[in-house]
Amino acid sequence: MITGSMVALVTPMHADGGVDWDGLTRVVDFHLREGTDSIVAVGTTGESATLDVTEHCQVISRVVQQVAGRIPVIAGTGANSTHEALQLTEEAKGLGVDACLLVTPYYNKPTQEGMYQHFKYIAERVDIPQILYNVPGRTSVDLLPETVERLADIDTIAGIKEATGDIDRARRLIASCGSKMAIYSGDDPTAVELILAGGQGNISVTANVAPARMAELCRLALAGETDAARRLNEALMPLHTNLFIESNPIPVKWAMQQMALIEGGIRLPLTPLAEGAHDAVRDAMKRCGLL
């Protein structure tokens, strides 16, 4: 089981929107050096929705090759088309990832039965651990706990990234599915509480800029060191909050540019962080000792 701090890795880009392969190498090295427990490539934060299929697979391949088995690599392979999600999951398996992360099908707004059949179809055809990804704030569909409970009985479905920030829902999932699958947070502000309730880790945006502290936070929470974990989480709360002042990954890419980790490129329809938001993100970075 993959546990701990799993960075939702940005995809570095040049000013013209082209993928910055040297920047990708640099940020992967940063996470290996700083103690990140696992890398999630080409998820929401990695701008999966705007990369073409060739780029998507190239990013996964580069990360797998560079990591070389030192920590797990999880590939984002979800799509609003079941056929496309199946193809991406098959390709990612062939590239050597340890698991795949599949977001709920967005835009077409399937029913609960449609989502169940979507994930079941892929899970029964690709023999690799698969992590469901529920983020209704971005997809307009909500994978309800009763549907997750049905999916938990499928062997290749190994976990869920629950990004609602609803700790009561997380507790229900841990109680009903925790013996069958891992429950991960996808919401930095509430991740510590989910882990303390019995979850296995956090797929994190904040970890892009504060990887060592997010790894320590997850370690403390997994060890049941409640007070220390909550203190560290409170210290990181300015980042948890202000890295979402505009749509992710706009603020975190700007923050990483200020740290000289990446260039400022981002791909349309996303745009660079608005000038009026610079002070809020900069202040959060200063309060957390990043600047």
Side-chain angles (χ1 to χ4, degrees):
M1 182 180 289
I2 300 171
T3 62
S5 178
M6 295 162 273
V7 63
L9 193 72
V10 303
T11 300
M13 294 175 182
H14 299 295
D16 63 1
V19 177
D20 177 4
W21 300 109
D22 290 339
L24 182 63
T25 298
R26 190 162 54 249
V27 295
V28 170
D29 278 342
F30 178 56
H31 287 286
L32 292 171
R33 185 172 66 249
E34 292 290 306
T36 293
D37 295 301
S38 178
I39 291 175
V40 180
V42 219
T44 301
T45 310
E47 296 176 72
S48 57
T50 58
L51 296 180
D52 65 35
V53 172
T54 298
E55 292 170 323
H56 194 114
C57 294
Q58 286 175 334
V59 171
I60 294 168
S61 179
R62 294 285 190 107
V63 173
V64 168
Q65 290 176 29
Q66 186 176 347
V67 169
R70 286 173 284 182
I71 59 175
V73 175
I74 302 167
T77 59
N80 58 355
S81 158
T82 303
H83 180 68
E84 181 181 344
L86 175 65
Q87 287 184 313
L88 287 171
T89 304
E90 290 174 332
E91 183 70 20
K93 179 187 176 183
L95 292 171
V97 302
D98 297 279
C100 291
L101 177 71
L102 291 99
V103 71
T104 50
Y106 48 87
Y107 185 75
N108 43 28
K109 299 182 74 171
T111 63
Q112 294 298 308
E113 183 62 24
M115 286 188 283
Y116 172 78
Q117 294 295 340
H118 168 86
F119 289 118
K120 179 176 181 286
Y121 186 90
I122 299 163
E124 291 179 343
R125 285 162 176 79
V126 190
D127 186 17
I128 190 169
Q130 295 171 35
I131 301 168
L132 313 173
Y133 177 14
N134 187 43
V135 57
R138 296 192 76 123
T139 63
S140 296
V141 290
D142 188 359
L143 187 67
L144 297 178
E146 49 266 34
T147 307
V148 178
E149 289 160 12
R150 293 175 67 195
L151 289 164
D153 289 325
I154 301 172
D155 288 343
T156 45
I157 293 182
I160 180 169
K161 175 185 176 182
E162 179 54 57
T164 61
D166 184 337
I167 298 303
D168 288 337
R169 175 185 287 208
R171 290 192 180 99
R172 171 178 170 175
L173 291 172
I174 290 163
S176 62
C177 306
S179 63
K180 300 175 184 177
M181 64 191 296
I183 314 299
Y184 302 114
S185 175
D187 178 67
D188 280 314
T190 60
V192 68
E193 298 303 324
L194 183 146
I195 299 171
L196 289 169
Q200 280 71 46
N202 179 33
I203 299 177
S204 172
V205 175
T206 301
N208 278 284
V209 295
R213 277 176 283 179
M214 286 304 298
E216 176 67 2
L217 178 122
C218 290
R219 186 196 68 77
L220 290 168
L222 286 165
E225 298 185 39
T226 303
D227 291 343
R230 285 176 173 158
R231 281 196 301 271
L232 181 51
N233 189 59
E234 187 62 29
L236 290 168
M237 195 59 72
L239 289 174
H240 295 339
T241 302
N242 286 337
L243 289 180
F244 292 90
I245 196 169
E246 289 187 1
S247 296
N248 178 48
I250 291 172
V252 74
K253 289 192 103 173
W254 185 86
M256 294 175 75
Q257 183 185 15
Q258 306 313 297
M259 297 170 68
L261 288 169
I262 63 172
E263 297 182 20
I266 197 164
R267 188 168 290 187
L268 287 169
L270 298 177
T271 52
L273 186 68
E275 187 173 348
H278 288 189
D279 286 347
V281 179
R282 187 182 292 111
D283 178 67
M285 296 175 72
K286 288 180 178 177
R287 290 169 65 187
C288 293
L290 300 179
L291 292 177

